[in-house]
Amino acid sequence: MTALPCSHSEADFKHDYVRLNGQRIHVVTAGVGRPVLLIPGWPQTWYAWRHVMRALAARGFQAIAVDPPGTGFSSRPDAGYDTGAAAAVLHRVMVRLGHARYPVVGHDVGMWLAYALASDHPGVVSRLALTEAVIPGLAPAPSIFAPPEENIFLWHFMFNQLADLPETLIAGRERAYLDFMFQRWSWRRDRVAAEVYIDAYSSPGGLRGGFAYYRAIPETIRQNQRRAQSKLTMPVLAIGAEHATGKAPLDTMRGQADDLRGVVIPDCGHFIMEEAADEFIAELLPFLESED
């Protein structure tokens, strides 16, 4: 993989690997203080959180961004991509780092994992911030005849679940495939570190590791139908982007949490932590700082 862009601020990030049952999870930390777990989505890596990490570190938090199993610099196991299994791995990472209770922030597929972690480990997640996704099994299944302006955010769900065909068509053309996503899903394309992510998912096993979360959707749906029987008790913040999911994250969580609030960030696309970093941080920090 290409070396990551490095400024003075990024040089202060600490990279570590937590080894669990023969696999390694790449963990990047910044700052000292109360821990906050940051989970990125597809097709990004921990690097999507770089602006948020600096802001958290400056306000007395320890920002802990991970590459979930199968992504970035983490191992690419053959199984374990349903949200229950992957969330359990991330909780074990936090325990290994010495954190028994912590807030969680998840974006895109990371939102799926964050919800599973909060639901499956009651008492562990103190606050939950979710952004830019709907959750399989909680949100209604979309129509296959969705209008084009909606389908641009939906078509990949079925394609990425197919066995073998996506890798067959995309291998050697990762840039074209992923650049299509970054171009169509973003509103401020110049702010998205697409080259970092394209490089990560072009590495051996990168495509498979990303698609595996989509291929596990049937099992994740089964788990989420069970999870939905009990509401989350910690405060939940749902953040959408004006030119992407909008109110969908909030609507997905309605009836799933006792304490739910939501906001839509204007003038922003799907890659919200990069495209509208200041606005996103302005919503996230007060939410985290209000923790008792």
Side-chain angles (χ1 to χ4, degrees), residues 11-136:
D12 293 336
F13 291 167
K14 180 183 178 183
H15 295 254
D16 282 308
Y17 293 91
V18 174
R19 298 185 180 276
L20 300 167
N21 294 338
Q23 67 170 302
R24 67 179 190 178
I25 301 298
H26 180 221
V27 177
V28 185
T29 58
V32 294
R34 289 178 289 166
V36 181
L37 175 60
L38 306 169
I39 311 175
W42 182 87
Q44 293 178 287
T45 68
W46 77 270
Y47 194 66
W49 295 108
R50 63 197 181 279
H51 305 308
V52 175
M53 294 176 74
R54 294 190 200 106
L56 288 173
R59 295 287 277 267
F61 291 93
Q62 182 183 47
I64 304 171
V66 296
D67 283 332
T71 69
F73 290 117
S74 292
S75 296
R76 299 177 179 17
D78 292 332
Y81 294 95
D82 61 88
T83 56
V89 168
L90 297 184
H91 175 54
R92 290 178 62 200
V93 167
M94 292 298 284
V95 171
R96 185 72 64 86
L97 295 175
H99 309 302
R101 182 171 167 83
Y102 47 87
V104 179
V105 188
H107 175 260
D108 188 82
V109 170
M111 175 171 158
W112 305 356
L113 300 180
Y115 168 70
L117 204 164
S119 182
D120 293 355
H121 301 272
V124 166
V125 177
S126 57
R127 287 186 169 252
L128 182 64
L130 305 171
T131 184
E132 270 305 292
V134 295
I135 297 177

Side-chain angles (χ1 to χ4, degrees), residues 87-187:
V89 168
L90 297 184
H91 175 54
R92 290 178 62 200
V93 167
M94 292 298 284
V95 171
R96 185 72 64 86
L97 295 175
H99 309 302
R101 182 171 167 83
Y102 47 87
V104 179
V105 188
H107 175 260
D108 188 82
V109 170
M111 175 171 158
W112 305 356
L113 300 180
Y115 168 70
L117 204 164
S119 182
D120 293 355
H121 301 272
V124 166
V125 177
S126 57
R127 287 186 169 252
L128 182 64
L130 305 171
T131 184
E132 270 305 292
V134 295
I135 297 177
L138 299 187
S143 168
I144 63 171
F145 300 112
E149 64 272 16
E150 295 179 14
N151 190 50
I152 192 63
F153 295 103
L154 299 173
W155 69 271
H156 69 291
F157 277 89
M158 289 186 284
F159 178 76
N160 287 1
Q161 288 184 67
L162 294 172
D164 302 327
L165 181 63
E167 289 93 331
T168 300
L169 296 178
I170 297 167
R173 303 178 183 88
E174 293 89 351
R175 176 174 300 279
Y177 178 68
L178 294 172
D179 192 62
F180 179 89
M181 306 293 189
F182 292 118
Q183 186 69 19
R184 299 300 180 92
W185 293 356
S186 64
W187 186 252

Side-chain angles (χ1 to χ4, degrees), residues 238-269:
I239 304 176
E242 178 186 7
H243 300 293
T245 62
K247 291 176 59 182
L250 176 61
D251 291 341
T252 295
M253 294 306 297
R254 290 192 191 279
Q256 305 299 326
D258 290 332
D259 182 351
L260 175 65
R261 65 207 76 176
V263 65
V264 176
I265 303 294
D267 201 27
C268 176

Side-chain angles (χ1 to χ4, degrees), residues 1-2 4-5 43-45 47-48 50-51 174-186 188-202 271 274-275:
M1 293 175 62
T2 303
L4 297 175
Q44 293 178 287
T45 68
Y47 194 66
R50 63 197 181 279
H51 305 308
E174 293 89 351
R175 176 174 300 279
Y177 178 68
L178 294 172
D179 192 62
F180 179 89
M181 306 293 189
F182 292 118
Q183 186 69 19
R184 299 300 180 92
W185 293 356
S186 64
R188 297 178 176 273
R189 173 67 170 75
D190 59 296
R191 299 182 180 182
V192 181
E195 293 301 315
V196 172
Y197 312 130
I198 290 170
D199 193 49
Y201 286 91
S202 299
F271 305 102
E274 296 178 282
E275 296 185 56

